[in-house]
């Protein structure tokens, strides 16, 4: 991956990086140890620095973005064992001192979401809930924890209330270390100096005492901090819960047996979600014609749905009447122009006759009604072929070709397909869907010519 692998020995290892122990630092100077001579497949150069304030992706947390010497963008930071590799838009000279600057908006968002996840998991793992965290994830707008079972809606609300209470109490977040290797760490990660980084969220009993007895708490014995959460983690975290601002628990999805994926938003993401939701409610007010505000939306939608169902029902009934009138016209037309005769063997027959029908404002259901009426009125006899189609000219739509002879129907369908962009087939009737009705008139003429040629 790099030109000089020995430089990795001088790097500050992942676990002791400046971005991890001083996550609020936004600018930082460090030495460039190596840079690839050519860009990789992503057209980015691979740079090793002695130390970094840009977090390398890991532990469920995406990497930081930033710049080197103001103009060179860092598009990715990866962990390779305990080494860190920066992917940049331009090469960086080896041996120079480089100035790093972190994309603070992205960094602080990740800190809020990651520390929020630790707090969410810690509360759901309490004995009264018993929901262990099996995994978690963060994308650009939402985070989630995968829980070993689904908490009830009442429990979710209770946990959310407790989460925001702890944020108001401003409990501290500590970074500590342990020599015991956590089972969840990747196999290629070895703790620097044989220790592993741990995040602790501490519960301040004196803050609780002050809430319980605002007058006399100062004269009582100090109770100090107790551990609320203790988990190995390489990510960047806030220094105290006040920087989370707020946490909103969202919806759940059942996954993998009894497991549940619970979505949440922390801090600015929760505020952004509130703004988006507020804007949607404003837009819905005009769309729904519901000036009473969000509290009237459900009633308005129920009324609109009922009215829509009635309208659809009325439209279907009217279309059935239209179909019936159309078939009546064909009964009269065919009686005069294409009468059925009885042959010596007793079978009925007629001269070749093509009935073509297209309507822009109907769909397959309407064509199905017409087809049923044709059968009910015994019009599909002799050498009569019916070509029925529906839909706007530019959008296309369904087509049904039906007649007494399957062979004749298939041949007509094949002929029509030459002139219209349509795919179809079937037994008993030919059915397809066209991408547009361009060429429909020509298809009718070709079908009629073929029908008469076959009977000649």
């Amino acid at each position: 991956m790099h030109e000089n692998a020995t430089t990795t020995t001088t790097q500050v290892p992942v676990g002791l990086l400046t971005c991890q122990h001083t996550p609020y630092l936004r600018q930082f100077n460090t030495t460039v140890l190596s840079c690839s001579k050519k860009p990789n497949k992503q057209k980015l150069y691979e740079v090793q620095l002695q130390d970094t304030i840009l977090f390398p992706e890991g532990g469920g947390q995406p990497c930081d973005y930033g710049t080197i010497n103001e103009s060179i963008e860092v598009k990715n930071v990866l962990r390779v064992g305990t080494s860190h590799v920066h992917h940049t838009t331009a090469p960086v000279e080896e041996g120079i001192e480089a100035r790093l600057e972190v994309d603070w908006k992205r960094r602080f968002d990740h800190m809020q979401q990651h520390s929020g996840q630790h707090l969410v998991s810690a509360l759901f793992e309490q004995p009264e809930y018993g929901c262990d965290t099996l995994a978690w994830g963060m994308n650009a707008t939402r985070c989630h924890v995968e829980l070993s079972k689904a908490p009830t809606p009442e429990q979710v609300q209770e946990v959310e209330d407790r989460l925001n209470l702890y944020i108001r109490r401003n409990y501290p977040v500590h970074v500590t270390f342990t020599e015991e290797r956590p089972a969840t760490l990747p196999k290629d990660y070895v703790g620097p100096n044989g220790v592993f980084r741990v995040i602790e969220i501490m519960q301040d009993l004196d803050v609780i005492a002050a809430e319980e007895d605002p007058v006399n708490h100062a004269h009582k014995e100090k109770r100090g901090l107790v551990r609320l959460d203790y988990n190995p983690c390489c990510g960047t975290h806030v220094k105290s819960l006040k920087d989370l601002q707020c946490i909103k628990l969202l919806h759940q999805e059942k996954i993998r047996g009894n497991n549940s994926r619970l979505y949440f938003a922390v801090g600015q993401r929760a505020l952004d979600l509130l703004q988006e939701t507020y804007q949607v409610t404003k837009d819905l007010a005009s769309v729904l014609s519901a000036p009473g505000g969000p509290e009237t939306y459900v009633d308005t939608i129920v009324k609109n749905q009922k009215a829509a169902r009635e309208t659809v029902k009325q439209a279907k009934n009217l279309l059935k009447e239209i179909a019936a009138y159309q078939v009546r016209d064909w009964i009269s037309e065919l009686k005069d122009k294409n009468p059925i005769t009885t042959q010596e063997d007793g079978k009925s027959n007629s001269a070749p006759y093509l009935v073509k029908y297209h309507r822009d404002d109907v769909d397959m259901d309407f064509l199905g009604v017409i087809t049923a009426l044709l059968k009910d009125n015994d019009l599909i006899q002799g050498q009569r072929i019916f070509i029925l189609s529906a839909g706007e000219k530019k959008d296309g739509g369904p087509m049904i070709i039906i007649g007494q002879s399957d062979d004749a129907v298939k041949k007509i369908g094949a002929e029509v397909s030459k002139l219209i962009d349509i795919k179809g087939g079937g037994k008993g009737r030919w059915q397809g869907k066209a991408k547009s009705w361009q060429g429909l008139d020509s298809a009718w003429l070709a079908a009629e010519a073929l029908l008469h040629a076959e009977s000649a």
Side-chain angles (χ1 to χ4, degrees):
M1 177 178 289
H2 297 89
E3 308 307 325
N4 185 3
T6 61
T7 59
T8 59
T9 59
T10 64
Q11 275 196 326
V12 174
V14 175
L16 299 178
L17 298 175
T18 296
C19 63
Q20 293 174 303
H21 62 70
T22 314
Y24 286 80
L25 188 63
R26 304 188 190 191
Q27 295 179 334
F28 177 70
N29 288 354
T30 188
T31 302
V32 179
L33 299 180
S34 68
C35 178
S36 60
K37 289 184 169 56
K38 296 180 180 180
N40 58 22
K41 292 180 180 179
Q42 289 74 42
K43 298 182 179 180
L44 298 173
Y45 291 84
E46 299 179 0
V47 177
Q48 281 193 328
L49 305 173
Q50 184 177 24
D51 195 359
T52 184
I53 57 167
L54 303 185
F55 176 73
E57 179 179 351
Q61 180 176 324
C63 72
D64 287 331
Y65 294 159
T67 59
I68 296 178
N69 295 337
E70 297 182 355
S71 61
I72 299 174
E73 294 181 62
V74 179
K75 292 293 189 179
N76 196 12
V77 188
L78 296 178
R79 178 186 66 82
V80 182
T82 55
S83 299
H84 39 97
V85 184
H86 297 63
H87 290 197
T88 64
T89 54
V92 186
E93 183 181 349
E94 295 182 13
I96 68 167
E97 184 177 75
R99 184 163 184 78
L100 294 180
E101 185 166 356
V102 66
D103 179 340
W104 177 248
K105 182 177 180 181
R106 177 181 171 90
R107 152 68 67 75
F108 191 65
D109 169 59
H110 291 175
M111 290 167 62
Q112 285 188 319
Q113 307 315 309
H114 203 161
S115 297
Q117 177 267 315
H118 276 244
L119 187 59
V120 168
S121 295
L123 262 67
F124 274 113
E125 289 172 1
Q126 296 296 309
E128 58 266 40
Y129 307 117
C131 301
D132 294 333
T133 295
L134 307 176
W136 87 288
M138 180 197 308
N139 62 25
T141 58
R142 300 286 187 274
C143 294
H144 72 267
V145 286
E146 182 179 337
L147 303 175
S148 57
K149 66 176 183 179
T152 66
E154 293 76 18
Q155 288 175 326
V156 171
Q157 185 59 58
E158 185 177 308
V159 168
E160 183 180 294
D161 292 343
R162 289 179 64 183
L163 290 168
N164 288 290
L165 172 63
Y166 292 170
I167 291 172
R168 293 195 299 275
R169 287 175 175 170
N170 192 25
Y171 290 158
V173 179
H174 294 159
V175 175
T176 185
F177 294 90
T178 179
E179 294 182 0
E180 183 178 351
R181 180 183 176 86
T184 55
L185 284 183
K187 293 181 180 179
D188 68 335
Y189 181 75
V190 180
N193 303 322
V195 296
F196 300 93
R197 192 167 180 268
V198 176
I199 300 301
E200 285 184 320
I201 300 177
M202 309 301 292
Q203 191 169 8
D204 193 332
L205 299 183
D206 295 312
V207 171
I208 300 174
E211 291 177 357
E212 294 173 345
D213 189 356
V215 177
N216 301 310
H217 76 91
H219 305 292
K220 294 183 179 180
E221 183 181 351
K222 297 296 183 182
R223 295 186 289 178
L225 303 175
V226 296
R227 184 181 288 160
L228 179 65
D229 178 57
Y230 181 83
N231 272 296
C233 183
C234 65
T236 54
H237 288 271
V238 297
K239 60 188 175 184
S240 64
L241 295 189
K242 73 177 178 62
D243 278 353
L244 299 185
Q245 297 176 272
C246 61
I247 295 179
K248 179 62 185 172
L249 301 182
L250 306 173
H251 63 287
Q252 295 188 71
E253 294 175 349
K254 282 198 171 184
I255 57 170
R256 288 190 285 276
N258 294 324
N259 294 358
S260 174
R261 181 173 289 163
L262 174 66
Y263 290 85
F264 64 92
V266 184
Q268 191 58 47
R269 290 196 187 193
L271 298 178
D272 291 343
L273 179 61
L274 173 62
Q275 180 59 38
E276 291 167 11
T277 305
Y278 177 71
Q279 188 60 50
V280 168
T281 59
K282 283 183 63 180
D283 295 341
L284 279 174
S286 59
V287 172
L288 297 173
S289 299
E295 61 272 13
T296 68
Y297 287 177
V298 173
D299 289 341
T300 301
I301 290 172
V302 170
K303 290 177 182 177
N304 289 348
Q305 286 179 332
K306 184 178 179 181
R309 285 194 294 269
E310 289 296 322
T311 300
V312 169
K313 184 178 178 180
Q314 291 173 5
K316 285 184 176 180
N317 290 334
L318 290 172
L319 288 173
K320 285 180 180 179
E321 290 184 19
I322 291 171
Y325 283 123
Q326 181 59 60
V327 171
R328 286 177 197 170
D329 288 345
W330 285 335
I331 291 172
S332 177
E333 176 186 334
L334 294 170
K335 184 178 180 180
D336 293 339
K337 297 183 178 180
N338 189 248
I340 298 297
T341 58
T342 303
Q343 302 179 143
E344 293 182 1
D345 57 5
K347 293 182 179 180
S348 60
N349 197 9
S350 74
Y353 197 84
L354 181 68
V355 176
K356 47 192 184 294
Y357 179 82
H358 180 86
R359 190 177 177 102
D360 293 346
D361 57 353
V362 295
D363 55 16
M364 187 64 182
D365 289 341
F366 180 78
L367 300 187
V369 171
I370 286 188
T371 301
L373 289 172
L374 291 174
K375 292 179 179 178
D376 291 344
N377 288 277
D378 204 21
L379 296 183
I380 306 173
Q381 296 190 61
Q383 297 186 67
R384 296 170 179 171
I385 295 292
F386 295 83
I387 300 180
L388 314 174
S389 55
E392 295 286 345
K393 184 174 182 179
K394 64 177 182 178
D395 298 327
M399 173 179 278
I400 293 176
I401 303 175
I402 193 167
Q404 184 169 273
S405 168
D406 283 347
D407 185 58
V409 167
K410 287 180 182 178
K411 289 180 178 179
I412 295 294
E415 189 68 17
V416 165
S417 299
K418 296 176 183 178
L419 298 164
I420 300 174
D421 189 0
I422 188 171
K423 292 182 180 180
K427 189 174 182 180
R429 72 179 184 185
W430 191 96
Q431 183 175 316
K433 186 173 183 181
K435 293 184 178 179
S436 80
W437 290 122
Q438 186 176 357
L440 181 59
D441 291 338
S442 298
W444 283 342
L445 291 173
E448 189 145 25
L450 177 63
L451 182 62
H452 286 88
E454 288 289 321
S455 63

